[in-house]
Amino acid sequence: MNKLSIDRRAAVIRGLVEGSSIRAVARMTGTDKDTVMRLLVEVGEFCSIYQDHTLRNLPCKRVEADEIWSFVGAKARNAKPGQGDLWTFTAICSDSKLAVSWLVGPRITQTAKTFMADVASRLANRVQLTTDGLHMYYTAVEDAFGWNGVDYAQLAKTYGQTVETGPGRRYSPAVCIGAVKEWVMGRPDMDKVSTSYVERANLTMRMQMRRFTRLTNAFSKKAENHAHAVSLHFMFYNYCRPHTTLTKAANGVKTTPAMAAGLTNHVWTVEHFLDLMDPTRLLR
């Protein structure tokens, strides 16, 4: 790993965050596949630790939370021990578009509780929170914020199929045919109850991480590597990738979610956070 120049490491990371598979990145950069994987693990661990420490006391006013499906090794029907469905819970600040928190795990109540507790620990003030209609959020949100400790509402959506019958239905996406806003606690502004931003962020995850892409063989083989890829993605999303809406609001000055949230004053490069990983910089 230490034999790779920072330029080569940056090229590998750029390939990963732009949606290429491990093998594709290895071919494009002339790097061994195992080296690419080791770099993903090393950088992913750093991104997780760094953001765990820096994403604190966030001045968010509205937060949206959702979960996105993927799988490790095999889908649930054919899964062996250690394989099967895997969900990534995500929370996005509606104003800065900052990824506040995320958690990779099974879609169970305990995961939702751990996720919501982490979300609550990162906020500097009372917020309006919107989730989808997943029933386990009721308990998770109350445990994390306390009763009436947050202005909370759910957006329960109803889905239908674009293809009613036939083999095409298997790959036909579900379409939202209705949505109902439901008050849960506090005093949420029902006109602002929405999960649009977090769902758009989930779409970005599917486009920018190859292991989330459906109907490919680039799916994750280990849950740990999946989590590392998610942490790397959000590091790049928060600090390195200018957001179009935020840039327009800043009169054309390229702005990332981290800049909008006051965590930094400039757009980061991949080389920047790779340099932060270098222990020798502490001695400079």
Side-chain angles (χ1 to χ4, degrees), residues 38-52:
R38 287 195 298 270
L39 183 59
L40 169 64
V41 171
E42 180 183 342
V43 177
E45 288 179 344
F46 168 79
C47 292
S48 178
I49 295 170
Y50 182 87
Q51 292 179 101
D52 181 51

Side-chain angles (χ1 to χ4, degrees), residues 6 9 271 274-284:
I6 191 168
R9 283 184 288 161
E271 288 85 354
L274 286 175
D275 185 56
L276 289 177
M277 294 174 59
D278 183 3
T280 62
R281 73 185 299 273
L282 299 176
L283 304 176
R284 297 171 189 170

Side-chain angles (χ1 to χ4, degrees), residues 137-159:
Y137 279 128
Y138 288 111
T139 302
V141 172
E142 184 175 352
D143 283 358
F145 293 91
W147 178 251
N148 279 335
V150 65
D151 301 318
Y152 176 40
Q154 287 191 343
L155 186 65
K157 294 184 177 181
T158 304
Y159 292 90

